[in-house]
Amino acid sequence: MDIPYTSKPRPDTGLYNAKVGIWLFLASEVMLFGALFSSYILLRIGADKWPSGLLNIPIGTFNTAVLITSSVTVVMAWASLKMNNFPKFKLYMGITILCALAFLGIKSIEYKDKFTHYQVWLKDGTTQTGHIEGNPYFLNHNKLDARKLDHIMFRSDGGHVVAAAEHGGNAKGGHAAAVKIERKDIQRLSAYVPAHSTYFAIYFTLTALHALHVVGGSLVLAFFWGPGSKMWKTDPERFTNRIEVGGLFWHFVDLVWIFLFPVLYLL
Amino acid sequence: MQATSHATHHDHAHADPHHEELGFWRKYIFSTDHKIIGFQYLLTALVFLMIGFGLIALMRWQLAYPGRAIPIGGALLERVLGPDMVGKEAVTGKIGVIMPDLYNSFGAMHGTIMVFLAIVPLAFGAFGNFVTPLQIGAPDMTFPRLNMASYWAYYLGGVVMLISFFIPGGAAKSGWTSYSPLATVVDAQYDINGQTLWLVGMVLLITSSLLGAVNFITTIIQLRAKGMTWMRMPFFVWAQFVTAFLLLLAFPPLEAAGIMQLMDNVFDTSFFLPTGLVVSGKPLDISGGGSPLLWQHLFWFLGHPEVYVLILPAMGIVAEVIANNTRRPLWGYKTLVYSVITIGFLSFIVWAHHMYLTGMGTKISTFFQTTTMMISIPSVFILSCLFISLWGGSIRFNTPMLFALAFLPMFGIGGLTGLPLGFNASDIYLHDTYYVIGHFHYVVAPGTIFGLFAGIYYWFPKATGRFMNEFLGKIHFVFSLIFMNAVFMPMFVQGMAGMSRRMYDGGATYSLEKAPEVIGALNETVMRYNISITHAAIGLGLAQIPFIINFFWSMFAGKRVTSDNPWQATTLEWCTPTPPPHGNFLKEPAAYRGPYEYSVPGAATDFTPQFQAEKP
Amino acid sequence: MAHSHDISKHVRTYIAIFVALLVGTVVTVGLYYVHFNSVAVTIAVALVIASLKSYLVAGFFMHLNSEKKTIYAIMAVTVFFFFALMGLFIWSFLDIPTPKGL
Amino acid sequence: MTNYITKYLGMAPVAAVHAQGLDNLLWYVHVLMAVLFVGWLIYFLYVIVRFRKSRNPKADYHGVRGHASSYAEAMVAIVELVLLVFFAIPLWASAVAKFPDAKDSLVLNVIGSQFSWRARYPGADKIFGKQDARMVTAENPNGLDLKDPNTKDDFEVVNDIVVPVDKDVIVNVSSMDVIHCFAIKPMRVTQDAIPGLKLATHFKATGTGIYPINCAQLCGNSHFAMRGTLTVKTQAEYDKWAASKVGAGAAGSYE
Ligand code: HEA
Ligand code: HEA
Ligand code: CUA
Ligand SMILES: [Cu+2]
């Protein structure tokens, strides 16, 4: 016996197998991100102060638009197959994949930006944010000691700030000249990396996990666009189903981002 | 229909165009056939069951004879694990004393291995895989390659867990619950430590379970044979169905937690680390701001549904075996089904009964103890239905039935002792004592393991075409039953006396002998149980030898079955050839009636299988 | 293929939703710069818009509006547990009593 | 103090006022369990003997027809409900969640650390000095604010906690490293010590003597040895003892 309902729906449920499978998988994803969002809420409730405005909102908005675009193109790709228009499918799916790559590219620029953006907590209780001369990666106070550095040259984002930077993100403009900060005055030094604070910890965890989903999704979609599309000739119905299933996953990734964006960038 | 001979089936099989010959690797190692995968799960998980037992045997030695070298293999163990882990006896200098760190590692890994690498893979992976598609009349799982991936993810997870014993610092040592901050601060001097590997292993195991769960649910929804309506499904399938949902929805939060703890351990984040941590007199160099309770909530959000993952498949097996060997229908099939569904729902909202003493507020702990009491009701229903099913039966006491019958009171003890733990006011005294250890081992060891043994003896003939030996089986049963109780019953006494769990010296610090002036110190009887339990545990291990012999011997030399339905059972798996070929059924099966039509008045035989067509 | 006629109608919906999603995004960001006085209002508005957007994606792109019963059942169960998780978590944390005596 | 409950259940002796109620609940639950278990067991043994194949070769398709089992199940549910509503919930509310007035009680700060219990007493002024993890040094493991005047008469003991008899004691349990669990079995007190939180528990000892303090939560390799003692003295003896301590612990010194 062969496995039934791989492409034709089962009469009583009206569904083909993969569709049930993907929705179940998405159900588990809902719980995965649900747990992370719950953690976000609790960390935020528990925090003394929750940084805001440290992320670049225009970039985030643009990336949201990119992802939304890819979501509509992937459903158009499926619709094209339904209308028997294979070239159009190729086009729309191609755009989807390009959007995915664009999203990842932009995200990695954002990441890189954060990795070189530092905060120093001085022993007098004030803090400053800015860049260190030479834009080093992953420096912190322990590494200063390990490398026997007795000072850093620090380009502050603008004077002493006790609270977090103002809205509008790390505006490159108002940089002061580099000043010397002695090691002995530094309590703690950290870039905007996960270890910086629970805010960045959850930010990086959520966005990296989301980015992994984007990577996984675009690999699958790329397969359907490239070598996998041969199936259109042999079993068009099943191929269309595959696109639908891939699309469902892709929409879910988009959906997660729809929440991630306001929660991490705006609130 | 059932009595068709072997030879004819064989011919059919060859006539089947899909039955091409696969090479050894594709057929037995990287197989996509659910039966082979089930067998792979079975063997791997049994090995892990043995490893889990080996760990606890060493721990029990230390509990019974604190500071004494293990009698055999001490020097070898020291060579493998190093002198930090295995020390010398104070007086004689004999090598082979389990050190506290090793004890904690073994404890954590015993729990982890037993739960995630032995029992779940047996109950869900092995039995679920082998039996479910057959019972619903499906040719295979819906996603055979995904099924293979599940097994290999499980296998990899197991390998990672085992490797962790041999890295510097040794395996995870914060209990199977891995509470932060201990899990993060212990062994922090190593970049990659046992806890890191534990987390990586867990992510693999979770992935395996998630893929498995998707596969199982889809299979049950989509591949039921003609006529196999929901209310005609064997209870075992229902149990697997609910179990799969528990895995699907409860595991992801632990995966999230695992990722966050991994971040804490590797990237120095503070998800579970509050502000102001001071370890060994030095403030920790972290941002702080996290919450240790967050980990506990995420862990137990899985942890409680997980315990039903451990028990429900066993209940399913027991129901099948009881129906078959009482030769009458299960009593209250619908009640069973609704109860198991109810358990599924409730199991998600009781988790914090593991956390009554974490400073929980009155309102929330009232909520959780109410739900905890509610969940015990459907368990009582299930047990009652199984008990009442016995009434009016014509009971055959073969080995599977003996294990299934023993399951009932053993689970009863385990379940009942859950009640005093379930009230927050009485949990104050019992929390983290051996009473808890006794409680849950009664459900998982003489409970679940007996259920699984029943299943192994029961479906062995279908899988191999041969019976297991009844005599060895009965020896296995009798001694297992005696020793199981001898191991776990005294633990209630110890717990009531106030002995804490996870004690390297078996509570000697708190004994009258060490602290005679203290009121409420543990008396000699309680302490002596440490020794008797250990002896019983060794006896329990030895009692498995007949089983192991029986298992392998019967596979090649057991009594052959003479029919495809040797137990004269009613469910669909018994209408396939024995052992079932790839694709399972020679012609499309159909279910014509409910799953347990035994001793139907007026029928020719005392069983009327689901697959027997209505007489025209 | 069979339903190509319906499908072309759907396509128009898809485009409309695409536009709506973009508008939603712009509105969220715009409101952010407006600054509500109350944090609660800000959060509520942002989440309401996000929920609407996700409804559009799930309901139309993922055709959840016209799915089969089985899928609804699966998602209903999931939503139940999702809210159990979040709700009970938050409740647990809010219910931790403060230290006594000092 | 022993009564039949502690005796039959084999529990540690009772030495606190609120303990009896908790023990009663434990007892009732165990009676329920015993009744259920014995009842079912008798039925079970009877059935497997009476309905064995050799005696009853032909099974009965219908089996039990009455409603006896439904009544039994309903009974279980009702008894559980009663235990819950009339015992567990009120007990927790009265014995655990309701705190004595701090003014009339001895208030202690107990800090679990790997692997000992440090108990801080507020001294004569009944006010604790300030404390902050950032001030921790090797000599000042609790991070006390030594400039705070309230710190002056505070004192600290390690592992051997002393309290007066017949007086309410409130213990604020916390930790600065990992999770411990402050458990005094004869007092029926168990409270996790969780870093980042300060969680209160309370008891009123009924008899003098020395009682064990368990660490009941796995906290590292010497968890098994993290035993403290609680010495309950008469008020007069306690006062004398406390007087001898005051002033000795200003700098967070040990004893
Ligand atoms: C398969 C596993 C399993 C199962 C089924 C259960 C079932 C139950 N468990 Fe258990 N539990 C564990 C595994 C399990 N548990 C584990 C592993 C731990 C410890 C984890 C750790 O800390 O490491 C634990 C810990 C644990 C605690 C925390 C204790 C503590 O740490 O302080 C609590 C508290 O409420 C609890 C309660 C319950 C309850 C109320 C049930 C109920 O569902 C039980 C319902 C069943 C019945 C009520 C029995 C009905 C039967 C009859 C009426 C007939 C009886 C008679 C005869 C058969 C003759 N369990
Ligand atoms: C499913 C779960 C499970 C199972 C089955 C068991 C089984 C057993 N457990 Fe375990 N245990 C746990 C889960 C489990 N345990 C957990 C979660 C903890 C808590 C850990 C922690 O504190 O973090 C714990 C802790 C724990 C402790 C407390 C340690 C401490 O607190 O310090 C003890 C003490 O005696 C113990 C003993 C035993 C014994 C004697 C068995 C016996 O029942 C074992 C019986 C098994 C066998 C005898 C092996 C049989 C082998 C075969 C059949 C193989 C056949 C092979 C082939 C055919 C190839 N366990
Ligand atoms: Cu402290 Cu265990
Ligand atoms: Cu539980």
Side-chain angles (χ1 to χ4, degrees), chain A residues 147-184:
Chain A
R147 296 188 197 156
K148 302 209 163 53
L149 298 173
D150 62 358
H151 71 273
I152 52 171
M153 296 304 292
F154 197 75
R155 225 181 254 285
S156 172
D157 287 338
H160 282 240
V161 269
V162 179
E166 261 310 291
H167 286 154
N170 41 333
K172 286 259 153 64
H175 271 202
V179 279
K180 185 167 164 181
I181 301 182
E182 298 290 338
R183 169 67 183 100
K184 63 177 175 4

Side-chain angles (χ1 to χ4, degrees), chain B residues 446-461:
Chain B
T448 301
I449 295 188
F450 277 13
L452 299 175
F453 280 145
I456 292 178
Y457 285 98
Y458 181 65
W459 278 299
F460 195 87

Side-chain angles (χ1 to χ4, degrees), chain B residues 100-101 104 173-175 177 179-182 185-186 274-283 292-293 296 326-329 331 335 356-362 365-366 369-370 372-374 376-377 380-381 383-385 387-397 405-406 408-410 412-413 416-420 423-433 435 492-493 496-505 509-511 514-515 517-521 596-601 606, chain D residues 9-13 15 18 22-23 25-26 29-30 32-34 36-37 40-41 43-44 46-54 56-66 68-70 72-74 76-81 83-85 87-89 91-93 96-97 114 117 133-138 141 175-179 181 183-186 188-197 199 207-229:
Chain B
D101 276 327
N104 287 350
K173 38 177 86 68
S174 310
T177 49
Y179 280 5
S180 279
L182 182 62
V185 302
V186 78
T275 309
L277 277 191
V278 178
V279 177
S280 325
K282 279 227 290 290
L293 283 182
Q296 295 193 17
T326 53
R327 315 304 296 162
R328 55 172 309 281
W331 194 89
T335 313
Y356 285 142
L357 299 159
T358 55
M360 192 181 273
T362 307
S365 74
T366 302
Q369 64 176 332
T370 308
T372 301
M373 286 307 121
M374 279 160 64
S376 67
I377 305 293
V380 171
F381 282 0
L383 266 252
S384 304
C385 286
F387 270 123
I388 297 169
S389 299
L390 299 173
W391 187 275
S394 171
I395 303 175
R396 307 189 299 212
F397 291 99
L405 286 176
L408 300 175
M410 295 296 108
I413 297 177
L416 290 173
T417 49
L419 300 181
F423 294 115
N424 55 8
S426 45
D427 190 44
I428 294 175
Y429 185 77
L430 297 174
H431 178 62
D432 268 336
T433 62
Y435 195 94
F492 293 125
V493 180
M496 271 294 179
M499 185 189 285
S500 293
R501 57 193 283 207
R502 294 162 165 175
M503 286 279 149
Y504 166 66
D505 63 354
T509 312
Y510 298 89
S511 67
K514 285 254 179 79
E517 76 286 2
V518 168
I519 303 170
Y596 304 111
E597 293 299 295
Y598 287 101
S599 301
V600 180
D606 71 347
Chain D
L9 291 181
M11 300 170 73
H18 75 277
L22 303 184
D23 285 13
L25 173 63
L26 262 178
V29 182
H30 279 84
L32 168 71
M33 289 156 59
L36 280 176
F37 185 74
W40 276 117
L41 196 65
Y43 163 85
F44 179 61
Y46 173 74
V47 165
I48 58 180
V49 173
R50 157 141 182 225
F51 292 103
R52 64 187 191 274
K53 189 172 182 190
S54 53
N56 191 37
K58 180 118 187 49
D60 171 13
Y61 181 76
H62 296 287
V64 173
R65 291 173 207 240
S69 70
S70 316
E73 284 158 1
V76 176
I78 289 169
V79 176
E80 282 186 10
L81 190 73
L83 287 173
L84 183 70
V85 174
F87 291 89
I89 294 174
L91 263 175
W92 184 271
V96 182
Q114 293 173 323
W117 296 104
R134 276 169 294 190
M135 295 184 220
V136 168
T137 59
S175 161
M176 288 159 82
D177 44 33
V178 302
I179 301 177
C181 182
I184 312 172
K185 293 289 166 190
R188 308 294 188 259
V189 159
T190 310
Q191 178 59 60
D192 277 1
I194 300 179
L197 293 175
L199 301 164
T208 57
I210 303 176
Y211 302 91
I213 301 176
N214 290 39
C215 178
Q217 182 63 264
L218 181 64
C219 55
N221 56 18
S222 298
H223 156 66
F224 72 99
M226 190 168 158
R227 189 190 66 139
T229 56

Side-chain angles (χ1 to χ4, degrees), chain B residues 36-53:
Chain B
I36 303 290
I37 294 176
F39 231 81
Q40 290 175 321
Y41 266 114
L42 180 73
L43 287 179
T44 320
L46 280 175
V47 169
F48 275 113
L49 187 62
M50 207 139 64
I51 297 175
F53 172 72

